[in-house]
RNA sequence: GCGGAAGUAGCUCAAUUGGUAGAGCGAUAGCCUUCCAAGCUAUAGGUCGCGAGUUCGAGACUCGUCUUCCGCUCCA
């Protein structure tokens, strides 16, 4: 437990030291739960995103992608349930540190009054509460709790904080003139951009059910607790796919995607035992089945991806609020219906952290003279590594850099390369290990005579002599 | 949001009972014909998280504030 805790700290330090992840606005003391990706981090993140995108769209003829805007019509979030379900006023008890939804607290008292036969008193209490909730009069709501002597169920005291609004969605204004400005939200999930475009996509790409729409993009949530590095962020990136199906077939498609998505994870070389499924017992308002794919992070098994059977909840509500028919005519059964949906939703930042956690290693090496040395390395799968190939002239004279530059020019159109002629060769190898570069080639004096170079493998530290003309091909074979 | 701990160079840490900051590693430039981080030389880099207060004088003491870490609470 403690060693894992240390390992997590080491990963965080390593991520900063080698240009993967920085805290946002660090020179101003940082911004809580917001992080920036550095030179190698942004490459890795992009590679993970591309790998997901390709596996969804390129590898499945019935899945297409979109890129919907972050801003959406405010009614979108009314339809999705985000406005009503996730923006309740809350109050804390200072003694027990318990947090309550204000309406639950007052409704609790009303129920008690009804049991005591004071029905009229209960009704007027609830009416007053509703009036204040609509008016967003938080001071009066607190007053209502205090005057009715509502106490904390745990501590039994009435030492309450002020009533506060915990809206998990970020809001801003649209419209350049203040008076015309209208409240608008930053999307808390990318899914709704897919749902509102369901008909556009289905018609223009001539999709037939079952089919999927994939999207990657930023989403924003005002998390109550922001901690655990990039695991929980206020601004994060999702990779989602909504799969539209005939009602009644949700069970089999749910199973299909449950299995398919786990296989995707395993394709990155992560052992099966580091994953587990976690079925949701308490389902969200939109789902009839849901599970998480969890990975064993250094701080325990945590959700990386969710598979949700969302029924027709979203399309049905958008149809209701927009007044537009969001239906599909199924020729096979000669029927019109609102499709059911299976969602796969994975956090890109969590996947990034997963890759770091899985690939980070501090290895102890025994040298020829018997002394020991440590090497910090990232065993990132070659296909998503930030840098694929390092090109290193053994010395920076005798024409070696010139040959190295030729190799560089030949390879850099195909994959990301890194050229380095400074410091001892050992030091350069270790630097490449630290950022997860799978292959290094070294140009030496022998290269001038027989056109061969040394290729050195990150994971084994093994080296072998290969023709310089084979370099590009070898790397390409390993990253495709 | 509550409670506890911490905050000195990119990193890890020093600075005698308060007397206006140092080292190692790293980085940068160069030397050494150098295949697994420890050879040599030089250089850069800090208003000691920020703001007040006590004091002749504060990195060290007091208060506030911000951030981070640990626990509790919450989570679509």
């Amino acid at each position: 437990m403690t060693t894992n805790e240390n390992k997590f700290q080491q990963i965080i330090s390593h991520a900063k030291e080698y240009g993967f992840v920085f805290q946002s606005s660090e020179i101003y003391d940082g911004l809580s739960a917001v992080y920036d990706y550095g030179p190698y981090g942004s490459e890795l993140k992009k590679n993970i995103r591309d790998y997901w995108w390709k596996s969804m769209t390129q590898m499945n003829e019935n899945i297409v992608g979109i890129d919907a805007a972050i801003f959406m019509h405010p009614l979108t979030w009314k339809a999705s349930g985000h406005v009503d379900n996730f923006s309740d006023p809350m109050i804390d008890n200072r003694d027990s540190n318990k947090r309550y939804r204000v309406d639950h607290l007052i409704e609790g008292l009303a129920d008690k009054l009804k049991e005591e036969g004071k029905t009229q008193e209960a009704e007027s209490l609830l009416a007053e509460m509703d009036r204040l909730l609509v008016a967003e009069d938080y001071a009066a709501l607190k007053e209502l709790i205090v005057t009715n002597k509502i106490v904390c169920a745990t501590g039994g005291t009435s030492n309450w904080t002020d009533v506060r609004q915990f809206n998990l969605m970020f809001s801003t204004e649209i419209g350049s003139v203040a008076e015309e400005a209208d409240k608008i939200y930053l999307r808390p999930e990318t899914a709704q951009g897919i749902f509102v475009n369901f008909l556009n996509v289905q018609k223009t790409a001539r999709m037939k059910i079952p089919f999927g729409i994939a999207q990657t993009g930023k989403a924003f949530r005002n998390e109550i607790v922001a901690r655990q590095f990039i695991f929980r962020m206020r601004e994060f990136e999702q990779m989602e796919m909504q799969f539209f199906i005939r009602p009644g077939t949700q069970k089999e498609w749910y199973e299909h995607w449950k299995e398919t998505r786990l296989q995707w994870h395993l394709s990155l070389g992560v052992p099966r035992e580091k994953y587990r499924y976690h079925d949701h017992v308490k389902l969200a308002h939109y789902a009839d089945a849901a599970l998480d794919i969890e990975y064993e992070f250094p701080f325990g098994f945590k959700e990386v991806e969710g598979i949700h059977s969302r029924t027709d909840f979203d399309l049905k509500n958008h149809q209701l609020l927009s007044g537009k028919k969001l239906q599909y005519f199924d020729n096979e059964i000669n029927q019109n219906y609102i499709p059911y949906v299976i969602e796969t939703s994975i956090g890109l930042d969590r996947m990034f952290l997963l890759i770091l956690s899985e690939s980070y290693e501090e290895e102890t090496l025994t040298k020829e003279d018997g002394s020991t040395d440590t090497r910090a390395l990232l065993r990132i799968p070659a296909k998503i590594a930030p840098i694929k190939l390092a090109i290193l002239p053994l010395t920076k004279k005798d024409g070696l850099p010139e040959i190295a530059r030729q190799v560089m020019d030949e390879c850099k159109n195909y994959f990301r390369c890194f050229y380095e002629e400074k410091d001892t060769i050992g030091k350069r190898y270790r630097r490449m290990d630290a950022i997860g570069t799978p292959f290094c080639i070294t140009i030496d004096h022998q290269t001038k005579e027989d056109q061969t170079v040394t290729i050195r493998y990150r994971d084994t530290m093994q080296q072998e002599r290969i023709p310089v003309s084979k370099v590009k091909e070898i790397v390409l074979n390993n990253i495709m």
Side-chain angles (χ1 to χ4, degrees):
Chain A
M1 188 63 194
T2 19
T3 52
N4 279 342
E5 201 56 57
N6 279 342
K7 191 191 170 193
F8 187 44
Q9 294 311 320
Q10 284 172 358
I11 291 168
I12 295 171
S13 302
H14 192 91
K16 189 201 167 184
E17 191 174 352
Y18 290 97
F20 284 83
V21 180
F22 308 125
Q23 199 191 4
S24 163
S25 320
E26 197 184 9
I27 62 167
Y28 292 110
D29 283 335
L31 187 61
S32 188
V34 185
Y35 290 89
D36 299 338
Y37 287 83
Y40 302 119
S42 54
E43 287 290 340
L44 174 58
K45 187 178 170 188
K46 179 184 179 301
N47 292 346
I48 295 171
R49 188 197 294 114
D50 289 348
Y51 183 64
W52 179 89
W53 184 258
K54 185 179 166 185
S55 72
M56 281 293 174
T57 62
Q58 192 170 326
M59 302 304 285
N60 291 288
E61 291 174 37
N62 63 345
I63 299 178
V64 292
I66 63 164
D67 182 8
I70 288 169
F71 293 141
M72 299 187 71
H73 193 284
L75 282 178
T76 306
W77 309 114
K78 183 80 180 161
S80 70
H82 285 83
V83 174
D84 295 327
N85 289 326
F86 304 113
S87 60
D88 308 294
M90 310 283 269
I91 193 166
D92 290 350
N93 184 280
R94 287 204 177 90
D95 298 317
S96 64
N97 282 330
K98 286 277 179 192
R99 174 168 295 160
Y100 297 91
R101 273 173 61 168
V102 168
D103 55 341
H104 286 177
L105 216 49
I106 296 174
E107 279 163 7
L109 176 63
D111 287 344
K112 215 173 93 186
L113 289 173
K114 278 180 190 164
E115 277 173 29
E116 293 167 5
K118 301 173 185 169
T119 315
Q120 207 153 31
E121 226 173 294
E123 293 301 332
S124 68
L125 180 67
L126 289 175
E128 177 67 359
M129 179 188 78
D130 285 340
R131 193 183 66 78
L132 293 173
L133 282 173
V134 170
E136 297 185 2
D137 189 343
Y138 300 138
L141 278 167
K142 185 185 179 182
E143 197 55 35
L144 195 64
I145 289 170
V146 172
T147 54
N148 281 285
K149 298 188 173 61
I150 296 177
V151 296
C152 171
T154 308
T157 71
S158 55
N159 187 7
W160 299 107
T161 63
D162 285 341
V163 171
R164 284 166 299 195
Q165 177 89 35
F166 283 82
N167 192 334
L168 272 340
M169 287 197 289
F170 285 91
S171 64
T172 184
E173 296 90 39
I174 196 162
S176 53
V177 181
E179 286 170 25
E180 295 171 4
D182 226 333
K183 191 170 177 182
I184 195 167
Y185 295 103
L186 270 56
R187 67 181 178 202
E189 63 175 20
T190 54
Q192 299 306 326
I194 294 177
F195 293 130
V196 300
N197 277 299
F198 166 71
L199 272 190
N200 284 338
V201 174
Q202 189 268 319
K203 287 183 170 166
T204 57
R206 301 187 297 121
M207 305 306 286
K208 288 191 178 59
I209 274 181
F211 74 95
I213 303 177
Q215 171 168 229
T216 70
K218 289 282 181 79
F220 306 83
R221 292 179 197 175
N222 235 330
E223 297 282 0
I224 293 173
V225 172
R227 227 179 273 182
Q228 282 171 325
F229 196 41
I230 57 172
F231 187 80
R232 242 167 229 285
M233 292 198 290
R234 297 214 154 95
E235 174 179 342
F236 59 103
E237 189 160 346
Q238 293 183 307
M239 303 189 290
E240 290 195 327
M241 193 276 295
Q242 307 293 335
F243 199 70
F244 298 91
I245 55 174
R246 188 183 294 167
T249 61
Q250 62 266 39
K251 186 85 187 146
E252 58 192 88
W253 283 112
Y254 180 72
E255 291 300 322
H256 171 262
W257 283 110
K258 172 181 171 178
E259 184 55 34
T260 304
R261 290 307 303 149
L262 183 64
Q263 287 307 317
W264 181 86
H265 284 268
L266 301 182
S267 76
L268 285 168
V270 184
R272 175 66 180 83
E273 61 267 25
K274 297 298 273 293
Y275 284 104
R276 73 178 187 199
Y277 290 118
H278 173 249
D279 293 311
H280 286 204
V281 181
K282 206 182 106 198
L283 295 169
H285 59 273
Y286 53 73
D288 73 355
L291 66 88
D292 297 335
I293 295 177
E294 296 185 333
Y295 167 79
E296 190 176 15
F297 286 96
F299 45 87
F301 273 99
K302 296 283 178 189
E303 175 188 358
V304 181
E305 175 156 5
I307 315 288
H308 291 218
S309 178
R310 290 181 82 127
T311 69
D312 58 356
F313 177 89
D314 300 277
L315 288 179
K316 198 171 65 189
N317 279 325
H318 283 306
Q319 174 170 297
L320 198 67
L321 262 79
S322 68
K324 304 289 189 307
K325 209 172 173 185
L326 298 178
Q327 301 187 3
Y328 175 83
F329 182 76
D330 193 327
N331 282 308
E332 276 183 45
I333 54 174
N334 208 27
Q335 244 180 30
N336 230 341
Y337 56 75
I338 298 175
Y340 267 45
V341 172
I342 303 296
E343 166 189 271
T344 73
S345 173
I346 173 170
L348 175 51
D349 309 276
R350 289 183 177 185
M351 193 61 208
F352 182 100
L353 185 57
L354 185 159
I355 293 295
L356 276 194
S357 303
E358 188 60 28
S359 61
Y360 178 80
E361 189 176 341
E362 200 165 288
E363 212 177 51
T364 305
L365 306 169
T366 308
K367 300 205 279 194
E368 284 175 14
D369 64 1
S371 65
T372 57
D373 191 12
T374 59
R375 134 176 127 118
L377 75 157
L378 295 175
R379 299 183 190 275
I380 301 174
K383 54 190 164 195
I384 56 170
I387 308 283
K388 311 300 188 191
L389 175 70
I391 299 165
L392 317 169
L394 189 59
T395 70
K396 51 183 154 184
K397 37 192 216 182
D398 302 331
L400 302 186
E402 286 74 6
I403 301 172
R405 283 292 181 190
Q406 282 173 20
V407 181
M408 182 82 181
D409 287 340
E410 193 198 334
C411 291
K412 70 182 180 190
N413 278 320
Y414 298 88
F415 44 80
R416 189 82 145 79
C417 303
F418 188 84
Y419 177 85
E420 171 87 285
E421 60 182 36
K422 216 184 112 58
D423 290 316
T424 64
I425 193 69
K427 208 170 208 171
R428 282 180 274 170
Y429 284 156
R430 298 301 179 84
R431 270 203 285 260
M432 288 298 109
D433 289 339
I435 61 168
T437 305
F439 308 105
C440 295
I441 57 159
T442 301
I443 287 85
D444 60 13
H445 296 89
Q446 194 186 326
T447 309
K448 292 196 287 188
E449 289 155 24
D450 63 6
Q451 284 75 50
T452 62
V453 294
T454 305
I455 186 163
R456 178 263 195 190
Y457 302 101
R458 175 196 66 202
D459 294 345
T460 58
M461 294 171 74
Q462 299 277 306
Q463 324 189 70
E464 58 182 311
R465 206 78 205 174
I466 57 163
V468 67
S469 56
K470 288 266 188 193
V471 171
K472 188 178 84 186
E473 186 189 329
I474 289 174
V475 176
L476 280 174
N477 284 343
N478 278 283
I479 62 175
M480 291 308 283

